[in-house]
Amino acid sequence: MSARYALVGLGNVGSDLTSAAVAAGLDLHVYDLDAAARERAGNAGAVVHESAAEAVDGAATLVLSLPNAEVVDAVLAGGALDALRPGGALIDMSTNLPQNAVTLAATGRERGLTVLDAPVSYGPDGLVAFVGGPPEDVTAQREWLDAVVTQWTHVGAHGQGQYAKLVQNILSGVQMGVIAEVLGFASRAGTDLDALAAALRPTGAHSRMLERTMPAMRERRYGSAGTMALHAKDMGYALRAAEQIDARMPFTQALLTVFQETLAAGDPRWGQTALIEWFLAQDRDATDGDDE
């Protein structure tokens, strides 16, 4: 029998972590505020509890998979951290502020706990993790990491996992934003978009993201997982982190504005491909003006 793990947070990522952990035979105890999410986790084979503290009690490792920094703080302050006994470990797989990861590591040391930041992202083959913390602490958590993600990389000290995740989000967000921009540009120019896609394929401008994202934008396939709102939150975190280290981030700042304005005028459940709506709004505004 493996060590006992507690997982708090059973959203999209948490559900995938649950399925992978159960499939690997890990002793997994879970909690989420959402009763439906708890039911899904129970059906997947996890042991479900009625509070975070109850799930954590007796666990060797507490794993967090939560939507934002405020929820992470609330869960820990609400009893989950107190329920983790000295000698235990805390792995924050949420996307959090790098400074928060450093502060949480210091709190862990005071309590006799080891702490890792290990935010995740989806790659072509499933979840990947960016891990920050001392090498020996990372090695001690290999059972969990090897079980629940398809690949993980130890990127440095506490907080560096969060920096790496923010870099990944910036890169993917800027690429999606530029794809939406050029698609809006080409549409207004009357360019044959099928011919354009074929023309770009053998060039250096082609990418896996372009191949996947342009058709979804053209066909208005935005999904319903709310990933655009989460991505906007993460870019806000990147800008806050940039202020602390005095880094220039003009592209991220501009893109965050587009994300926020798209969400404000649309559906909070949209995915990032809905960025095309911001560029197409210019055409709708012009049409509305002609009607007056």
Side-chain angles (χ1 to χ4, degrees), residues 160-183:
Q160 291 301 321
Q162 298 295 348
Y163 277 119
K165 173 60 189 299
L166 294 178
V167 166
Q168 187 271 329
N169 275 344
I170 293 165
L171 286 169
S172 63
V174 168
Q175 289 179 75
M176 285 190 178
V178 171
I179 291 168
E181 183 173 296
V182 298
L183 187 55

Side-chain angles (χ1 to χ4, degrees), residues 131-150:
V131 186
E136 61 275 15
D137 294 344
V138 176
T139 298
Q141 296 302 321
R142 286 202 60 159
E143 180 182 60
W144 173 262
L145 294 170
D146 289 344
V148 300
V149 297
T150 60

Side-chain angles (χ1 to χ4, degrees), residues 17-51:
L17 294 174
T18 296
S19 298
V22 170
L26 303 187
D27 181 16
L28 183 65
H29 295 246
V30 301
Y31 173 73
D32 193 282
L33 281 173
D34 181 36
R38 296 198 301 272
E39 182 178 2
R40 287 194 300 270
N43 291 338
V47 180
V48 178
H49 295 270
E50 295 303 312
S51 73

Side-chain angles (χ1 to χ4, degrees), residues 202-258:
T203 74
H206 186 73
S207 68
R208 185 170 58 195
M209 182 169 286
L210 180 67
E211 188 82 30
R212 175 174 56 87
T213 301
M214 183 179 283
M217 289 183 177
R218 288 180 62 186
E219 297 163 16
R220 310 296 186 266
R221 290 188 277 113
Y222 303 153
S224 59
T227 53
M228 189 174 185
L230 289 172
H231 203 150
K233 177 265 297 182
D234 293 348
M235 288 190 295
Y237 285 179
L239 290 170
R240 289 169 64 181
E243 288 181 6
Q244 293 182 330
I245 60 175
D246 196 25
R248 293 180 175 180
M249 305 279 276
F251 295 111
T252 303
Q253 181 64 69
L255 184 61
L256 178 57
T257 299
V258 175

Side-chain angles (χ1 to χ4, degrees), residues 6-10 29-32 52 55-56 62-66 75 80:
L7 171 63
V8 179
L10 301 171
H29 295 246
V30 301
Y31 173 73
D32 193 282
V56 177
L62 164 60
V63 180
L64 302 177
S65 178
L66 298 167
V75 166

